Amino acid sequence: MFAYFGPRNWWPGETRFEIIVGAILTQSVAWRNVSKAIENLRAAGILTLEAMYKAPIEEIEKHIVPTLYWRMKAKKLRAFVNHIMDNYHGDLDKFLQKDKEELRRELLSLYGIGPETADSIILYAAEQPVFVVDAYTRRIFHRLGFFEESVSYDEMQQFFMKHIPPDVRYYNEYHALIVGIGNRFCSNKKPDCGNCPIQSVCRFKLRNKVENEG
């Protein structure tokens, strides 16, 4: 994967807060939509913790329409911002410096933040080693033969963290490469197996070849 894509330089974001906003907004939508919303927030001057805390929620909503479910996502952003302002006096760094497990529990207690979003924040914003898994991970590694399609989030995460040394840069790059494969080649309905850089080790590709030859 790395030989094909090279460094992915993921996650896009100029600040830790921007990375967190992106992690929340990218739920159930393509990154290009998130990018539009982030630029809208930046242009409106509310892409900082303090500015978003003061902004009316309707103001946030109108700028994140490209991400779909914008009313719900605006509430998620507001819940996160309120938590940091009310409990950490706006000190985001203090929050992100917490122990990894404690930070994860606290993130999961907030409205609208599930395991994938929490782990994205921990890896990319807090820069602590936790492996992020997503729908691409499930699809690709099921097709490679590592998992059943029904595998849980925790089971997938434990597999990677057992076999890959806990290194932030390595976890970062590995997840970004998985996203690259999933986005460009390993689609749900019409995967481009013939051009996929990992086709030589893919059981799904091999099975399709046998079926087509039969």
Side-chain angles (χ1 to χ4, degrees):
M1 294 189 292
F2 187 82
Y4 181 87
F5 287 109
R8 298 285 286 166
N9 300 313
W10 198 256
W11 185 292
E14 296 178 8
T15 66
R16 285 175 147 187
F17 181 66
E18 183 177 330
I19 289 171
I20 293 168
V21 170
I24 293 172
L25 294 181
T26 199
Q27 296 171 359
S28 305
V29 73
W31 182 257
R32 61 181 177 272
N33 298 69
V34 177
S35 183
K36 292 176 184 177
I38 286 177
E39 289 309 312
N40 291 344
L41 292 168
R42 193 193 316 280
I46 53 175
L47 194 55
T48 67
L49 191 70
E50 295 79 6
M52 192 171 288
Y53 181 70
K54 295 176 182 177
I57 195 163
E58 295 80 9
E59 179 75 6
I60 300 171
E61 287 176 355
K62 75 178 185 180
H63 294 301
I64 64 172
V65 169
T67 66
L68 307 178
Y69 314 111
W70 60 88
R71 290 190 177 89
M72 186 180 298
K73 289 181 178 179
K75 291 178 182 177
K76 295 176 183 181
L77 290 172
R78 174 52 55 82
F80 178 82
V81 167
N82 286 355
H83 183 75
I84 302 303
M85 295 298 291
D86 296 344
N87 295 282
Y88 296 89
H89 306 290
D91 190 341
L92 182 60
D93 289 341
K94 182 179 180 181
F95 172 69
L96 294 174
Q97 287 168 2
K98 300 186 79 166
D99 171 78
K100 179 176 64 176
E101 298 303 324
E102 184 180 357
L103 178 58
R104 193 173 194 266
R105 285 193 297 270
E106 194 165 338
L107 283 165
L108 290 173
S109 74
L110 300 180
Y111 170 74
I113 294 185
E116 183 183 337
T117 303
D119 290 337
S120 295
I121 292 170
I122 293 168
L123 177 61
Y124 294 108
E127 298 182 335
Q128 297 194 48
V130 64
F131 199 90
V132 180
V133 297
D134 53 21
Y136 288 137
T137 314
R138 181 187 305 277
R139 182 188 308 146
I140 292 167
F141 282 82
H142 167 63
R143 288 174 173 175
L144 289 173
F146 286 92
F147 305 132
E148 295 295 327
E149 202 164 12
S150 59
V151 65
S152 72
Y153 184 97
D154 290 342
E155 288 171 331
M156 286 192 291
Q157 185 179 65
Q158 289 167 11
F159 172 84
F160 286 104
M161 294 187 72
K162 178 181 178 181
H163 291 90
I164 302 174
D167 181 276
V168 169
R169 289 177 298 177
Y170 201 88
Y171 282 3
N172 181 323
E173 193 67 66
Y174 205 118
H175 176 242
L177 291 168
I178 290 171
V179 172
I181 292 290
N183 184 49
R184 190 168 304 181
F185 301 104
C186 200
S187 63
N188 187 30
K189 295 182 179 179
K190 293 183 178 181
D192 184 10
C193 297
N195 292 309
C196 181
I198 59 173
Q199 60 175 291
S200 63
V201 294
C202 184
R203 293 185 182 182
F204 182 82
K205 169 70 177 347
L206 179 62
R207 186 173 70 242
N208 283 352
K209 180 180 179 182
V210 171
E211 288 175 354
N212 290 335
E213 289 177 350

